[in-house]
Amino acid sequence: MDLLERRNWMGLLARANPERLGDLLGDLPEHSFARAPEIGTVMVQGRTGGTGAPFNIGEITVTRCTLRLASGTIGHSCVQGRNKTHATCAAIVDALMQDTPARFMERILTPLANDASQSASLRHAKAEATKVEFFTLVRGED
Amino acid sequence: MYVAVKGGERAIRNAHAWLAEERRGDPDIPELTIPQIRAQMALAVNRVMAEGSLHDPDLAALAIKQARGDLIEAIFLIRAYRTTLPRFGTSTPVDTADMAVSRRISATFKDAPGGQILGPTFDYTHRLLDFSLMANGDPPAAPKASADPQPVPHILSFLDTDGLIEPAPHSDATPRDLTREPLELPADRALRLQALTRADEGFLLGLAYSTQRGYGRNHAFVGELRIGTVCVEMEIPELGFAVDIGEIELTECETVNQFTGSKTEPAQFTRGYGLTFGQTERKAISMALVDRALRWRELGEDDQGAPAQDEEFVLSHCDNIQATGFLEHIKLPHYVDFQAELELIRRLRAAASEDAE
């Protein structure tokens, strides 16, 4: 996944653990809200039979926010859950990444991506350990 | 006639105070925290999210605590809270083929590509009470095995390639939404699936079981059952592209059922589909069976008059919040209605005794 692409870094920020994101960001740079963090829902859709026509499964809670840094750059976020600090931090990093990607890539996004891949491989390893290895008993009939 | 009666305020206030005290229970026992409920009562949390139709584990855990473990009451709290929130939009349909699976089994193909992954299941446990859970102690760590992630394609797609099963053709039709417009019958399949995924698990289980016992039999095999996380993606209007806004756990069940076909069309397996929030596999399997039973008309099957085939019956009674609302309201004061009944029965009896004289 190319984290220098905006949709990818925004996705990573939305899926990040809020406390971890806050720790990595540290003190928040000066910013003003164009749209203060707001809690709402998004209706999640699935597809009939996995591939067919869409249908509504249910909603998830989300928090979204839009802000402007002192540089004038605008950052957006829409993150799962009801954590306004998470939405604020995600929008700030979205703006910072537009200004100086290399710096914040290393400081924030790479550690978040490492966290995500670690927890994915942990789950995969546990799942893999429960994979069935069938063997057939030799029967004495022939 | 409606007569306002006052005078219950003090009793109600005191009843609620006592409820709060009972909810807390013995103050010498430590109070449950929301993270404890979320982590250790996870399947209850999942059920409340699925039937509350709102995925938010913290809120579901809070609702369970507030409802003293009464899950239908907790679901009611979640449904009520949901109505207070603005809706920002709709996700693009989740891609369950791309699920990071923690469980994935098939009852139809032993050697499915990607393998049979049991995951954290109650299956194959002996259902004996584990008294070690009454003592404190950490369980041993779950074993890990290393292997590169393999793709886990939908198992039914293999039957689909051979034309042995009815296809589930791609479409981008906008589905009707039960939470935005009242249920109108006949419902299309998308609307039925929405109603079923938020339906009461017990009601769906009973109906699904009835189809297995012959009331609208459709002979289902679990072609695939998978549990895992998928990304939720939404188009952001300000940006003009779609981004991931989060990740949720889902359970998906696809059944393979008996055939359609005719002299001109070769026989094909048919499908039932279940997709639910969280790890809720009993619900997802039930949903797939009932979905399939409700498709009798579309598949040219006979109406056997079975409850699970009756769309109006199923969809009008599967919502436990509607059901409990109407059911429980009869315990509230109906003094005037009953007074009318009393008058009537007295008149009938008086008339009968006059006739007898």
Side-chain angles (χ1 to χ4, degrees):
Chain A
M1 190 199 290
D2 179 7
L3 284 174
L4 287 171
E5 218 177 291
R6 192 169 178 202
R7 65 182 301 272
N8 291 338
W9 82 55
M10 288 184 76
L12 185 63
L13 292 168
R15 293 193 308 270
N17 176 301
E19 285 76 40
R20 174 80 166 137
L21 174 58
D23 289 347
L24 290 168
L25 181 56
D27 292 333
L28 304 187
E30 194 186 320
H31 61 275
S32 59
F33 287 116
R35 182 167 62 193
E38 179 190 14
I39 297 171
T41 71
V42 167
M43 176 57 90
V44 181
Q45 291 188 343
R47 287 188 181 280
T48 310
T51 54
F55 70 96
N56 297 305
I57 311 172
E59 286 160 286
I60 57 170
T61 51
V62 295
T63 308
R64 69 177 176 190
C65 135
T66 304
L67 48 74
R68 186 179 284 107
L69 294 185
S71 65
T73 310
I74 290 180
H76 282 291
S77 69
C78 185
V79 306
Q80 185 178 3
R82 291 164 299 107
N83 188 328
K84 292 183 176 178
T85 314
H86 183 188
T88 308
C89 291
I92 287 176
V93 178
D94 177 46
L96 292 172
M97 279 296 288
Q98 296 172 60
D99 283 349
T100 44
R103 188 164 152 220
F104 293 100
M105 180 81 182
E106 193 185 335
R107 201 179 102 194
I108 297 174
L109 290 177
T110 308
L112 290 179
N114 290 342
D115 290 354
S117 86
Q118 257 177 28
S119 80
S121 29
L122 181 63
R123 176 177 39 201
H124 177 70
K126 287 186 194 171
E128 201 60 29
T130 69
K131 190 180 269 188
V132 182
E133 283 160 24
F134 288 106
F135 58 91
T136 309
L137 295 174
V138 177
R139 303 198 303 182
E141 288 156 11
D142 45 30
Chain B
M1 185 171 67
Y2 181 77
V3 181
V5 182
K6 299 191 88 173
E9 291 94 336
R10 184 194 49 83
I12 291 170
R13 213 168 36 242
N14 293 349
H16 290 172
W18 193 10
L19 169 67
E21 200 179 278
E22 288 290 311
R23 174 189 297 125
R24 174 61 184 88
D26 182 351
D28 290 336
I29 297 171
E31 187 179 350
L32 268 176
T33 65
I34 301 305
Q36 281 172 345
I37 297 171
R38 180 181 163 159
Q40 296 172 42
M41 293 286 128
L43 300 191
V45 168
N46 286 343
R47 181 168 179 186
V48 170
M49 295 196 300
E51 295 171 34
S53 212
L54 183 70
H55 191 290
D56 187 315
D58 288 324
L59 287 180
L62 169 63
I64 290 169
K65 179 173 177 173
Q66 186 176 334
R68 307 178 64 195
D70 178 340
L71 297 189
I72 290 185
E73 181 72 20
I75 292 159
F76 200 161
L77 294 170
I78 292 297
R79 291 271 187 96
Y81 175 79
R82 188 200 67 80
T83 62
T84 65
L85 296 177
R87 186 184 291 175
F88 295 158
T90 301
S91 80
T92 54
V94 292
D95 184 5
T96 53
D98 200 27
M99 183 183 278
V101 296
S102 51
R103 172 163 168 80
R104 189 268 199 151
I105 54 170
S106 171
T108 52
F109 293 105
K110 179 165 71 70
D111 297 313
Q116 307 256 359
I117 297 162
L118 300 183
T121 177
F122 293 125
D123 294 353
Y124 316 109
T125 61
H126 294 112
R127 265 73 182 211
L128 299 173
L129 279 175
D130 178 0
F131 289 96
S132 72
L133 295 175
M134 286 179 109
N136 291 325
D138 292 325
K144 301 179 193 70
S146 61
D148 291 331
Q150 270 179 290
V152 275
H154 276 128
I155 288 170
L156 265 54
S157 64
F158 301 112
L159 287 173
D160 201 4
T161 320
D162 295 339
L164 293 176
I165 195 164
E166 56 159 335
H170 184 89
S171 136
D172 283 319
T174 304
R176 283 152 73 188
D177 184 354
L178 267 183
T179 66
R180 284 289 186 270
E181 45 183 313
L183 176 67
E184 269 181 50
L185 300 170
D188 55 16
R189 194 172 173 201
L191 198 63
R192 290 200 302 252
L193 289 172
Q194 182 183 14
L196 295 178
T197 192
R198 55 195 251 138
D200 182 74
E201 179 174 314
F203 183 81
L204 275 198
L205 171 64
L207 280 175
Y209 179 44
S210 75
T211 69
Q212 292 184 291
R213 291 195 63 255
Y215 294 85
R217 185 190 298 283
N218 52 48
H219 205 273
F221 290 100
V222 172
E224 182 170 3
L225 177 72
R226 56 168 67 194
I227 301 176
T229 55
V230 296
C231 288
V232 179
E233 185 191 71
M234 184 173 71
E235 191 88 32
I236 308 286
E238 294 88 337
L239 304 178
F241 54 84
V243 298
D244 285 350
I245 55 176
E247 195 175 38
I248 57 172
E249 188 179 38
L250 292 174
T251 302
E252 182 183 49
C253 174
E254 292 194 275
T255 58
V256 181
N257 303 67
Q258 273 183 355
F259 327 116
T260 59
S262 62
K263 284 190 178 129
T264 50
E265 302 264 324
Q268 276 189 322
F269 286 116
T270 57
R271 300 164 178 250
Y273 190 64
L275 183 66
T276 49
F277 277 154
Q279 183 178 342
T280 41
E281 72 181 48
R282 185 185 302 115
K283 169 78 174 281
I285 300 170
S286 303
M287 176 175 168
L289 264 58
V290 176
D291 168 49
R292 177 59 185 78
L294 288 171
R295 298 182 61 210
W296 64 272
R297 198 189 304 266
E298 166 199 353
L299 295 170
E301 294 170 341
D302 292 334
D303 179 7
Q304 301 174 21
Q309 290 181 309
D310 185 335
E311 175 179 278
E312 181 175 353
F313 179 79
V314 174
L315 300 189
S316 309
H317 301 110
C318 65
D319 190 290
N320 53 24
I321 299 311
Q322 280 174 10
T324 205
F326 198 59
L327 183 110
E328 293 201 48
H329 103 279
I330 64 170
K331 71 193 172 185
L332 300 175
H334 283 67
Y335 306 138
V336 177
D337 305 54
F338 187 67
Q339 196 64 38
E341 300 266 305
L342 261 184
E343 295 274 331
L344 178 63
I345 202 168
R346 284 188 178 129
R347 245 184 298 139
L348 289 172
R349 287 170 64 96
S353 61
E354 270 170 31
D355 288 349
E357 278 167 17

